[in-house]
mmCIF file of all heavy atoms in Angstrom:
data_model
loop_
_atom_site.group_PDB
_atom_site.id
_atom_site.type_symbol
_atom_site.label_atom_id
_atom_site.label_comp_id
_atom_site.label_asym_id
_atom_site.label_seq_id
_atom_site.Cartn_x
_atom_site.Cartn_y
_atom_site.Cartn_z
ATOM 1 N N GLY A 20 -6.171 -12.649 15.099
ATOM 2 C CA GLY A 20 -5.781 -13.949 15.668
ATOM 3 C C GLY A 20 -4.409 -14.384 15.169
ATOM 4 O O GLY A 20 -4.192 -15.534 14.939
ATOM 5 N N GLY A 26 0.308 8.022 -9.852
ATOM 6 C CA GLY A 26 1.746 8.304 -10.025
ATOM 7 C C GLY A 26 2.044 9.662 -10.538
ATOM 8 O O GLY A 26 1.294 10.196 -11.361
ATOM 9 N N LEU A 48 -1.413 15.069 10.114
ATOM 10 C CA LEU A 48 -2.688 15.766 10.378
ATOM 11 C C LEU A 48 -3.805 14.792 10.366
ATOM 12 O O LEU A 48 -3.764 13.733 9.740
ATOM 13 C CB LEU A 48 -2.846 16.886 9.242
ATOM 14 C CG LEU A 48 -1.863 17.967 9.298
ATOM 15 C CD1 LEU A 48 -2.011 18.896 8.039
ATOM 16 C CD2 LEU A 48 -2.013 18.866 10.527
ATOM 17 N N ASN A 53 -14.680 12.425 8.840
ATOM 18 C CA ASN A 53 -14.975 12.224 10.264
ATOM 19 C C ASN A 53 -15.371 10.838 10.592
ATOM 20 O O ASN A 53 -15.421 10.374 11.726
ATOM 21 C CB ASN A 53 -16.048 13.182 10.712
ATOM 22 C CG ASN A 53 -15.607 14.651 10.783
ATOM 23 O OD1 ASN A 53 -14.437 14.865 11.079
ATOM 24 N ND2 ASN A 53 -16.502 15.561 10.510
ATOM 25 N N ASP A 77 9.857 -3.575 -27.337
ATOM 26 C CA ASP A 77 10.506 -3.478 -26.086
ATOM 27 C C ASP A 77 9.984 -4.535 -25.099
ATOM 28 O O ASP A 77 8.761 -4.553 -24.811
ATOM 29 C CB ASP A 77 10.245 -2.115 -25.453
ATOM 30 C CG ASP A 77 11.042 -1.887 -24.217
ATOM 31 O OD1 ASP A 77 11.745 -2.783 -23.701
ATOM 32 O OD2 ASP A 77 10.903 -0.777 -23.585
ATOM 33 N N LEU A 110 7.510 -23.192 -3.598
ATOM 34 C CA LEU A 110 6.688 -22.143 -4.194
ATOM 35 C C LEU A 110 6.604 -20.892 -3.338
ATOM 36 O O LEU A 110 5.891 -19.935 -3.665
ATOM 37 C CB LEU A 110 5.286 -22.663 -4.425
ATOM 38 C CG LEU A 110 5.128 -23.898 -5.286
ATOM 39 C CD1 LEU A 110 3.624 -24.326 -5.361
ATOM 40 C CD2 LEU A 110 5.661 -23.653 -6.694
ATOM 41 N N MET A 113 7.522 -17.617 -5.156
ATOM 42 C CA MET A 113 6.454 -17.225 -6.069
ATOM 43 C C MET A 113 5.280 -16.703 -5.354
ATOM 44 O O MET A 113 4.648 -15.686 -5.723
ATOM 45 C CB MET A 113 6.040 -18.496 -6.904
ATOM 46 C CG MET A 113 4.934 -18.170 -7.894
ATOM 47 S SD MET A 113 5.566 -17.263 -9.386
ATOM 48 C CE MET A 113 6.292 -18.570 -10.265
ATOM 49 N N VAL A 129 5.874 18.498 5.990
ATOM 50 C CA VAL A 129 7.259 18.125 6.052
ATOM 51 C C VAL A 129 8.042 19.250 6.729
ATOM 52 O O VAL A 129 8.182 20.328 6.120
ATOM 53 C CB VAL A 129 7.841 17.815 4.658
ATOM 54 C CG1 VAL A 129 9.313 17.357 4.739
ATOM 55 C CG2 VAL A 129 7.022 16.766 3.924
ATOM 56 N N THR A 184 18.077 3.931 6.954
ATOM 57 C CA THR A 184 19.370 3.235 6.913
ATOM 58 C C THR A 184 19.246 2.052 5.942
ATOM 59 O O THR A 184 18.397 2.068 5.109
ATOM 60 C CB THR A 184 19.751 2.715 8.344
ATOM 61 O OG1 THR A 184 18.688 1.870 8.798
ATOM 62 C CG2 THR A 184 19.860 3.913 9.327
ATOM 63 N N SER A 185 20.159 1.067 6.049
ATOM 64 C CA SER A 185 20.051 -0.044 5.201
ATOM 65 C C SER A 185 20.434 -1.313 6.036
ATOM 66 O O SER A 185 21.124 -1.276 6.986
ATOM 67 C CB SER A 185 20.992 0.039 3.951
ATOM 68 O OG SER A 185 22.306 0.026 4.391
ATOM 69 N N GLY A 187 20.960 -5.595 4.938
ATOM 70 C CA GLY A 187 20.884 -6.635 3.914
ATOM 71 C C GLY A 187 20.659 -6.173 2.517
ATOM 72 O O GLY A 187 20.114 -6.889 1.696
ATOM 73 N N ASN A 193 13.861 1.089 10.702
ATOM 74 C CA ASN A 193 13.641 0.741 12.101
ATOM 75 C C ASN A 193 13.987 1.784 13.137
ATOM 76 O O ASN A 193 13.554 1.710 14.312
ATOM 77 C CB ASN A 193 14.315 -0.624 12.437
ATOM 78 C CG ASN A 193 13.448 -1.785 11.983
ATOM 79 O OD1 ASN A 193 12.277 -1.811 12.216
ATOM 80 N ND2 ASN A 193 14.094 -2.799 11.508
ATOM 81 N N SER A 195 13.300 4.869 12.848
ATOM 82 C CA SER A 195 12.275 6.001 12.825
ATOM 83 C C SER A 195 11.593 6.081 14.186
ATOM 84 O O SER A 195 11.442 5.056 14.890
ATOM 85 C CB SER A 195 11.249 5.737 11.713
ATOM 86 O OG SER A 195 11.887 5.665 10.444
ATOM 87 N N LEU A 210 -2.295 28.435 8.907
ATOM 88 C CA LEU A 210 -2.873 29.200 7.744
ATOM 89 C C LEU A 210 -3.041 28.239 6.570
ATOM 90 O O LEU A 210 -4.024 28.359 5.825
ATOM 91 C CB LEU A 210 -1.952 30.314 7.423
ATOM 92 C CG LEU A 210 -1.960 31.596 8.405
ATOM 93 C CD1 LEU A 210 -0.862 32.517 8.003
ATOM 94 C CD2 LEU A 210 -3.317 32.221 8.372
ATOM 95 N N HIS A 215 -6.248 25.591 2.567
ATOM 96 C CA HIS A 215 -6.385 24.442 1.694
ATOM 97 C C HIS A 215 -7.361 23.414 2.212
ATOM 98 O O HIS A 215 -7.854 22.594 1.415
ATOM 99 C CB HIS A 215 -5.044 23.877 1.406
ATOM 100 C CG HIS A 215 -4.095 24.803 0.729
ATOM 101 N ND1 HIS A 215 -4.112 25.128 -0.596
ATOM 102 C CD2 HIS A 215 -2.987 25.483 1.260
ATOM 103 C CE1 HIS A 215 -3.121 26.003 -0.844
ATOM 104 N NE2 HIS A 215 -2.459 26.223 0.203
ATOM 105 N N GLY A 216 -7.485 23.375 3.564
ATOM 106 C CA GLY A 216 -8.286 22.294 4.159
ATOM 107 C C GLY A 216 -7.545 20.973 4.166
ATOM 108 O O GLY A 216 -6.443 20.841 3.528
ATOM 109 N N LEU A 217 -8.137 19.996 4.815
ATOM 110 C CA LEU A 217 -7.516 18.717 4.970
ATOM 111 C C LEU A 217 -8.072 17.771 3.872
ATOM 112 O O LEU A 217 -9.156 17.937 3.391
ATOM 113 C CB LEU A 217 -7.833 18.059 6.328
ATOM 114 C CG LEU A 217 -7.266 18.881 7.493
ATOM 115 C CD1 LEU A 217 -7.805 18.273 8.781
ATOM 116 C CD2 LEU A 217 -5.691 18.854 7.501
ATOM 117 N N ASP A 219 -9.620 14.386 2.320
ATOM 118 C CA ASP A 219 -10.440 13.179 2.731
ATOM 119 C C ASP A 219 -9.659 11.997 2.165
ATOM 120 O O ASP A 219 -9.595 11.778 0.943
ATOM 121 C CB ASP A 219 -11.799 13.208 2.078
ATOM 122 C CG ASP A 219 -12.654 12.036 2.354
ATOM 123 O OD1 ASP A 219 -12.107 11.041 2.844
ATOM 124 O OD2 ASP A 219 -13.860 12.034 2.157
ATOM 125 N N LEU A 233 -13.148 -8.342 -11.383
ATOM 126 C CA LEU A 233 -12.555 -9.517 -10.625
ATOM 127 C C LEU A 233 -12.181 -10.596 -11.560
ATOM 128 O O LEU A 233 -11.121 -11.227 -11.431
ATOM 129 C CB LEU A 233 -13.543 -9.951 -9.549
ATOM 130 C CG LEU A 233 -13.680 -9.083 -8.286
ATOM 131 C CD1 LEU A 233 -14.813 -9.693 -7.386
ATOM 132 C CD2 LEU A 233 -12.391 -9.111 -7.467
ATOM 133 N N PHE A 240 -3.856 -12.414 -13.710
ATOM 134 C CA PHE A 240 -2.972 -13.134 -12.670
ATOM 135 C C PHE A 240 -2.464 -14.370 -13.366
ATOM 136 O O PHE A 240 -1.280 -14.686 -13.327
ATOM 137 C CB PHE A 240 -3.710 -13.392 -11.466
ATOM 138 C CG PHE A 240 -3.166 -14.494 -10.606
ATOM 139 C CD1 PHE A 240 -1.973 -14.282 -9.905
ATOM 140 C CD2 PHE A 240 -3.897 -15.669 -10.400
ATOM 141 C CE1 PHE A 240 -1.456 -15.242 -9.116
ATOM 142 C CE2 PHE A 240 -3.370 -16.659 -9.585
ATOM 143 C CZ PHE A 240 -2.138 -16.511 -8.971
ATOM 144 N N ALA A 242 -2.213 -15.114 -16.580
ATOM 145 C CA ALA A 242 -1.346 -14.799 -17.655
ATOM 146 C C ALA A 242 0.023 -14.383 -17.170
ATOM 147 O O ALA A 242 1.033 -14.672 -17.693
ATOM 148 C CB ALA A 242 -1.925 -13.699 -18.539
ATOM 149 N N GLY A 246 3.804 -16.244 -17.613
ATOM 150 C CA GLY A 246 4.892 -15.559 -18.336
ATOM 151 C C GLY A 246 4.475 -14.838 -19.615
ATOM 152 O O GLY A 246 5.311 -14.480 -20.454
ATOM 153 N N GLY A 255 -6.915 -3.562 -21.324
ATOM 154 C CA GLY A 255 -6.533 -2.190 -21.247
ATOM 155 C C GLY A 255 -7.637 -1.251 -20.728
ATOM 156 O O GLY A 255 -7.407 -0.166 -20.231
ATOM 157 N N SER A 269 -12.222 2.190 -26.626
ATOM 158 C CA SER A 269 -12.701 1.559 -25.417
ATOM 159 C C SER A 269 -13.222 2.547 -24.448
ATOM 160 O O SER A 269 -12.741 3.697 -24.353
ATOM 161 C CB SER A 269 -11.665 0.720 -24.741
ATOM 162 O OG SER A 269 -10.655 1.488 -24.207
ATOM 163 N N VAL A 286 5.974 1.404 -1.820
ATOM 164 C CA VAL A 286 5.640 1.286 -0.378
ATOM 165 C C VAL A 286 6.942 1.129 0.405
ATOM 166 O O VAL A 286 7.266 0.139 1.072
ATOM 167 C CB VAL A 286 4.704 0.116 -0.089
ATOM 168 C CG1 VAL A 286 3.297 0.450 -0.575
ATOM 169 C CG2 VAL A 286 5.177 -1.191 -0.720
ATOM 170 N N GLU A 295 2.631 -12.747 7.087
ATOM 171 C CA GLU A 295 1.236 -12.678 6.637
ATOM 172 C C GLU A 295 0.790 -13.961 5.929
ATOM 173 O O GLU A 295 -0.144 -14.660 6.344
ATOM 174 C CB GLU A 295 0.992 -11.479 5.767
ATOM 175 C CG GLU A 295 -0.411 -10.988 5.708
ATOM 176 C CD GLU A 295 -0.551 -9.611 5.101
ATOM 177 O OE1 GLU A 295 0.512 -9.036 4.735
ATOM 178 O OE2 GLU A 295 -1.652 -9.105 5.039
#
Side-chain angles (χ1 to χ4, degrees):
L48 292 171
N53 291 326
D77 185 1
L110 302 180
M113 181 73 79
V129 181
T184 58
S185 65
N193 274 321
S195 300
L210 287 173
H215 299 285
L217 299 171
D219 178 346
L233 284 174
F240 163 67
S269 69
V286 289
E295 202 166 2

